[in-house]
Amino acid sequence: MFSPPVTFYGATVIYLSSHFLIHILSRNFRLPYLHSEWLCWSFLLLAANLVRPSKHHDQDATTQSDKLALAIAAVCAFRTIGGVDWALPLLTPLSLNIIHQASNTNPQLESFKKAQPVSAVYRGLGSLTSAPALALIPAILSAAWLLPVPYSAWQICAGLTFALVLMVVYKLIHEQRDEPSSEQDADRIPLPSPAISWRALAVLTMMLLIAPKTFFPRKLSEPVTLVVVAMLRSLQWVMVMVLVRKGFLIPLTTTSTFAIGTIRTFHLQASTGRAGLVASVAFISLLQTHRFIQKMSYNRRILSAVGCLFVFGLVVNQPASNNRMISLFVGNEPHPIEVLVSEANEEFRSMVEGQSKTLPDAVVEYERRYRMEPPSGFDLWFKLAMEANCTIVDNFDTVMQSLEPFWGITAKEMRARADMFTQVPLAKWALRDKKPVMLSNSLVLGGFNEVLGGWLERFKDILPDVEITINGLAEPRVIVPNDRLDHLIRTCPRIDPTATDNQQRKPLEIMDFGKDKSWQIGTRSCPENSPSRSILLPVEEEGLHLIRNVTKAKDICEAPEAAISHAMFLAPYNLKVTDTLVPVFSHGKPSSSQDILYPSPDYVDGYQQGNYNETEDPLWENKINQLYWTGSDTGGYASGDNWRHFHRQRFVDMVTNGNNEISLLQRVKSGRLGKSTRWEERKQTMASLSDL
């Protein structure tokens, strides 16, 4: 017979091990959560029918089984959506509250109370009535530290609901226990009854059928791994039932918090500034587990071993920098730029790891992202991408955003507009019978046509017959007013049955803002309530501000100060634009333009290298530690003293004028003992940095 200590420690070790293994496999193979749960309950149903005697099949009440199945399905749904595990610490005070309210009139809850040494936990801290309140304090702190930033109302509401539903699951599992008819039955691992298993499986199946797009957000790339994860989840559910039915409800909640805290800590780096807080969640939950279980001779040894293992993993997981290692344990605040770099690296690593490895995965991901089937030839494109070792094969957000307004006009209308757009320097290329043809050449920049022709030659076998219009200048060519743009995005194209192929059209209106201010036309596509459409400039905020949202920082509609600080809006060299939506490909544009971006030939290896001789280039360690400007002073048309406001000239002035005041972050001591440090803004001048 298993004694209660062995039951607790054995079940807890299996529960934690399965937790960590599931996390590792899910991160590496991007497995769909709901599908693994569906397989999990299929295995549990099979095991229940094989292991449990037939006399136990109908002992569970139908109503209770229905409730538990629905609650389990709800838990699976929340975890499929994600972002709710931060609420696991709240289960501990909820459990204490249930135990505290147990009475002789409720035998199920009373058995909970008898199995938990609550009074021993809070001995010396007050009466039993204060126990749930005392547990609420570390629970709220732990949940706040686990809640990922930026916070959202949806995430908070979902997490709280998830915690309540999971608590209902635990309570129903306890109430579903079977009364042992013999000593042998008492030792049997408490599998879920067939009634519960098939009901949970039926609800999960309905969820998959009702909302396949919602609950199938990721790719099914590793069937074997999916089966392994499903088996681990089955084992995890069984261990939950063991712990709950043996009366270890509160240790189960603290152990779950320890697992999620440990996983999050290993996932974070010390430089993010949150690893220390998340690590403290794991330590708090470990201490709570230690206090909530009954005293045993080997209690401290086992938990101490688990704690040492956690600390070892935490240390090994940290970056190699000694400063970062010290900052985790002595309270040194990481540099804000280190935090941003670490977050960006983690985001990029996660994106690269999640890219599709096979064509079926890529098709599923494309349909999930863009709610449409991939275009014809996608299989050939994916093959070329794999052969070229492309890092990113799933993300088409840039081009899809550029193409979105064009869904509002017909293909016939699109071709007609492209043919009419001839008043500006453009080039037209076509692919006819798998052969690249240059129809016209009005590009100002030399060498672009050679690059474009080479691209079409390379991809001629997978492209259909097509004509494209290329803009060779840095300035955009298409800026559509916001109301018209919004209409195109929201509506489907309307076909005029009376229109004919040779019917005359009104000429496209071309507006020339070369050498003149262009802010008004340049922001016409911005929403009416955006900062750039206001006549007021924002008040300049004091202090040092680092860019945290790159997309917003590049959005012209959010940057009204660009009206007086960027050459394109002050006096562009050549800005001829139309307010009609025309398919024009440009290698650069502001966010307010509707040009379609394509990779700039400037970044093609071998393009415009000039007279560069690698043998004349000194080694890196022999170069002078000096910053200098290289390149032309173009970017706008200089007249009078307006050039002082151009972006390139302002940059050179900022870094070369030693009297310019700048903000720097310096490390200063903090805390009563002066052992911790933090970063404080200090005013300096460029001359104080170095001789530039």
Side-chain angles (χ1 to χ4, degrees), residues 2-3 23 47 109 153 157 165 217 225 237 266 358 370 428 450 484 514 537 610 689-690:
F2 289 130
S3 62
H23 171 73
L109 293 180
C157 293
V165 173
T225 308
W237 274 111
F266 291 169
T358 64
Y370 306 113
K428 286 185 179 293
E450 288 77 4
R484 199 181 308 169
L537 289 176
L689 294 181
S690 62

Side-chain angles (χ1 to χ4, degrees), residues 183-476:
E183 187 175 333
Q184 184 179 3
D185 288 340
D187 291 338
R188 182 181 289 114
I189 295 177
L191 289 171
S193 67
I196 297 173
S197 299
W198 78 257
R199 282 175 169 82
L201 190 61
V203 176
L204 292 174
T205 303
M206 287 189 292
M207 292 170 60
L208 287 172
L209 295 176
I210 292 173
K213 293 292 184 180
T214 303
F215 296 110
F216 190 48
R218 294 183 175 180
K219 298 170 283 202
L220 185 58
S221 57
E222 295 289 341
V224 176
T225 308
L226 181 65
V227 172
V228 173
V229 169
M231 296 177 68
L232 289 172
R233 293 197 190 282
S234 302
L235 191 60
Q236 197 175 51
W237 274 111
V238 172
M239 292 306 105
V240 167
M241 293 182 177
V242 169
L243 292 170
V244 172
R245 294 181 179 181
K246 292 294 182 180
F248 292 105
L249 174 61
I250 299 179
L252 171 62
T253 63
T254 56
T255 302
S256 300
T257 303
F258 172 78
I260 189 64
T262 305
I263 290 173
R264 291 277 185 90
T265 305
F266 291 169
H267 180 65
L268 294 170
Q269 291 181 331
S271 59
T272 62
R274 292 183 61 87
L277 294 177
V278 177
S280 65
V281 173
F283 278 118
I284 291 173
S285 60
L286 189 64
L287 292 176
Q288 286 179 323
T289 306
H290 179 275
R291 297 300 302 272
F292 280 131
I293 60 177
Q294 296 175 349
K295 301 295 183 181
M296 304 160 199
S297 59
Y298 48 88
N299 175 298
R300 296 182 182 275
R301 296 179 183 178
I302 295 178
L303 286 177
S304 298
V306 174
C308 291
L309 181 64
F310 164 69
V311 173
F312 175 76
L314 173 62
V315 172
V316 171
N317 185 67
Q318 300 310 313
S321 170
N322 291 331
N323 291 335
R324 295 182 185 178
M325 285 294 300
I326 295 173
S327 68
L328 178 66
F329 296 104
V330 303
N332 291 343
E333 184 180 273
H335 194 285
I337 294 180
E338 286 184 334
V339 174
L340 294 175
V341 170
S342 177
E343 291 174 350
N345 286 336
E346 175 60 26
E347 182 180 354
F348 180 75
R349 184 193 64 78
S350 178
M351 178 179 65
V352 172
E353 288 181 354
Q355 296 301 300
S356 298
K357 303 299 187 297
T358 64
L359 178 61
D361 286 347
V363 172
V364 170
E365 181 66 11
Y366 189 98
E367 294 176 347
R368 183 191 73 84
R369 282 173 176 262
Y370 306 113
R371 299 293 190 268
M372 64 177 69
E373 295 182 355
S376 60
F378 184 77
D379 54 340
L380 299 176
W381 174 89
F382 186 81
K383 180 181 178 181
L384 288 176
M386 290 291 100
E387 292 174 353
N389 295 321
C390 290
T391 304
I392 308 298
V393 296
D394 289 329
N395 193 325
F396 302 94
D397 292 353
T398 299
V399 66
M400 294 297 283
Q401 184 179 6
S402 297
L403 295 177
E404 186 177 15
F406 291 93
W407 290 102
I409 58 177
T410 62
K412 178 180 178 181
E413 178 67 19
M414 201 181 306
R415 287 191 294 268
R417 294 182 184 184
D419 292 339
M420 296 171 61
F421 199 40
T422 58
Q423 300 95 320
V424 295
L426 297 168
K428 286 185 179 293
W429 278 84
L431 202 62
R432 305 283 171 79
D433 298 327
K434 304 300 181 182
K435 295 181 180 179
V437 179
M438 185 171 62
L439 302 179
S440 64
N441 179 16
S442 299
L443 294 181
V444 176
L445 300 179
F448 268 36
N449 279 318
E450 288 77 4
V451 176
L452 295 172
W455 285 349
L456 291 176
E457 179 68 28
R458 180 182 179 185
F459 300 112
K460 63 181 181 181
D461 293 330
I462 67 174
L463 289 175
D465 285 355
V466 66
E467 290 186 10
I468 54 177
T469 304
I470 306 293
N471 170 33
L473 296 179
E475 294 85 0

Side-chain angles (χ1 to χ4, degrees), residues 471 473-477 568 572-575 586 588-590 595 635:
N471 170 33
L473 296 179
E475 294 85 0
R477 290 291 173 254
M568 179 191 153
Y573 263 112
N574 188 330
L575 184 62
S586 297
K589 67 166 189 173
D595 295 44

Side-chain angles (χ1 to χ4, degrees), residues 652-669:
V652 173
D653 176 69
M654 288 170 61
V655 298
T656 57
N657 189 342
N659 295 324
N660 280 339
E661 188 180 71
I662 59 175
S663 296
L664 295 178
L665 293 177
Q666 293 185 347
R667 190 187 293 274
V668 296
K669 293 182 178 181

Side-chain angles (χ1 to χ4, degrees), residues 615-648:
T615 60
E616 298 178 358
D617 195 349
L619 297 175
W620 178 264
E621 54 269 19
N622 295 334
K623 292 186 178 182
I624 301 174
N625 186 21
Q626 188 173 9
L627 181 67
Y628 64 94
W629 173 264
T630 178
S632 65
D633 60 352
T634 57
Y637 179 77
S639 62
D641 63 349
N642 69 341
W643 59 270
R644 297 181 183 274
H645 301 282
F646 291 179
H647 49 288
R648 297 183 183 179

